[in-house]
Amino acid sequence: MTALAVGLASASNTSQHRWGLAAALAYACAALVSRRSRVPWSRTAALIGVVGALVVPLVWLTAVGLQQMEVGVVERSAQHFLETGTPYLSHPVAVRDFNPYLPGMALFGVPHAVFGAGVLAGARLWNLAGFAATLAAAVAVLVKGRPQARRTAVTGATWIAACPVVALPLAIGGVDPVVVAFVLLALAYAHRGRAAGAGLALGAAAILKWTAWPAIPVVVVLLAATRGARAARITAAVAVAVAASVVAPPLLADPHAFLDNAVLYPFGLSDTASTAASPLLGALLSALLPHGKTVAVVLIGVGAVAVALSLIVRPPTTTAAAAHRLALGLTIAILLSPATRIGYAVYPLTLLIWARCTVLTAPEPTPDQDTSSPVPHLAAERL
């Protein structure tokens, strides 16, 4: 129904319109297979969803030359970075002039800037490759040393890729799936107690988009609660060092351009209206109330403080709990942001699926283990 709604609600012959029509058929077939399957969350149904809602629309849209505007933004930012040392225009005017992403996102446009136009050099393909490789790495880290859990984790990852909020942006050229994939990798490293790996993954996510930054304190608090203060310090230091090493040079090279492109525009505070618009609470407040943008920003701040206090008062002690807390915080920010779109639901929905994966792949309790904890007995379930 979601795919069909997207297809019917979008303008004719746009990438969203064509994706919706193709994906609706795929999801209908997947639903029929899932209904006949004896196994909940059938892997076969998930594969049908991936092929029909991601692979087929991607090939189709690539063949007819339809893609989301973000693809061109990433490719132009890479070209500008190679020429000037910063991915941001100094005086953006039109919507297409703005680059709302952090400097690391330009890396996905480097092949296009170096090798020119072509299917294999396009930023859409490299974003997809980055997402697939990072999600595969997250699965490998999560189940390392426990081959019996691999099937469950792979099935969960397949369902993540098949999910409409992931398949749609991957097919049309959106950038958010690769960002959330690095967050999942960080949670997988934290689940295994690997502080440096979690820090590297968080840093990689943090150089791409602001939406990844709330994950840093959540994962740090998780490691502090489960692995101790030293692990938390390592994760925080590595994440901040990676982020600063990439974000600081363009910021110092042209602070005004960085502020206009990467701060004011994506948060809906620029004179030029962002294309990220959905009838969510923040957009409605901005449109209907005097000083509505200010009200929305203040409410986001209040929500951030509330989530931060919850981390202090009741820190998450499992990876699933951390994913749930992060999903809650991001949901509040998405609903209240003056410049947002429903597609940002990719973050909380993917985090919730991953939280379930971490529970289902947890080691089985042995007879001498305390089974009163809610996590071990849930681990007996399988996707």
Side-chain angles (χ1 to χ4, degrees), residues 91-337:
H91 301 287
V93 178
V95 169
R96 297 181 69 87
D97 296 337
F98 285 88
N99 172 17
Y101 311 121
L102 292 176
M105 192 67 75
L107 295 173
F108 295 102
V110 169
H112 181 274
V114 173
F115 300 107
V119 175
L120 298 180
R124 170 164 51 183
L125 181 63
W126 285 97
N127 266 288
L128 172 60
F131 167 80
T134 306
L135 185 60
V139 169
V141 171
L142 184 65
V143 301
K144 184 177 181 181
R146 293 182 291 115
Q148 71 280 3
R150 183 174 299 276
R151 179 178 177 84
T152 300
V154 169
T155 302
T158 307
W159 275 108
I160 287 175
C163 184
V165 294
V166 176
L168 170 58
L170 287 176
I172 67 178
V175 300
D176 292 291
V178 69
V179 180
V180 76
F182 275 110
V183 174
L184 300 185
L185 179 58
L187 287 169
Y189 274 124
H191 186 75
R192 305 290 303 206
R194 297 173 61 179
L200 287 172
L202 288 171
I207 67 174
L208 301 177
K209 204 171 180 183
W210 291 116
T211 45
W213 284 65
I216 296 177
V218 174
V219 174
V220 168
V221 170
L222 169 65
L223 283 167
T226 58
R227 304 288 175 170
R230 183 174 181 273
R233 287 195 297 269
I234 291 173
T235 297
V238 172
V240 171
V242 171
S245 66
V246 176
V247 174
L251 171 61
L252 296 176
D254 193 338
H256 186 267
F258 183 91
L259 179 66
D260 279 350
N261 284 269
V263 179
L264 298 180
Y265 181 75
F267 286 99
L269 304 176
S270 171
D271 292 334
T272 302
S274 171
T275 56
S278 293
L280 300 177
L281 182 57
L284 294 176
L285 290 174
S286 300
L288 300 177
L289 293 182
H291 308 291
K293 285 186 179 180
T294 302
V295 173
V297 171
V298 169
L299 289 176
I300 290 175
V302 172
V305 170
V307 174
L309 288 175
S310 77
L311 292 175
I312 297 172
V313 174
R314 190 175 181 181
T317 56
T318 67
T319 307
H324 289 156
R325 198 75 57 88
L326 180 57
L328 174 62
L330 289 173
T331 299
I332 294 172
I334 291 166
L335 291 175
L336 294 174
S337 175

Side-chain angles (χ1 to χ4, degrees), residues 18-92:
R18 297 197 180 191
W19 175 86
L21 299 182
L25 178 60
Y27 288 134
C29 294
L32 289 174
V33 171
S34 182
R35 184 174 182 179
R36 292 176 177 272
S37 175
R38 297 180 179 179
V39 181
W41 300 95
S42 162
R43 179 185 289 190
T44 302
L47 287 172
I48 292 173
V50 169
V51 173
L54 173 54
V55 177
V56 171
L58 175 65
V59 173
W60 183 19
L61 293 172
T62 301
V64 299
L66 288 177
Q67 60 188 20
Q68 197 159 317
M69 187 176 65
E70 281 87 337
V71 177
V73 171
V74 172
E75 291 172 350
R76 287 192 297 273
S77 69
Q79 184 69 46
H80 196 258
F81 173 76
L82 294 177
E83 293 173 353
T84 67
T86 174
Y88 306 111
L89 293 178
S90 297
H91 301 287

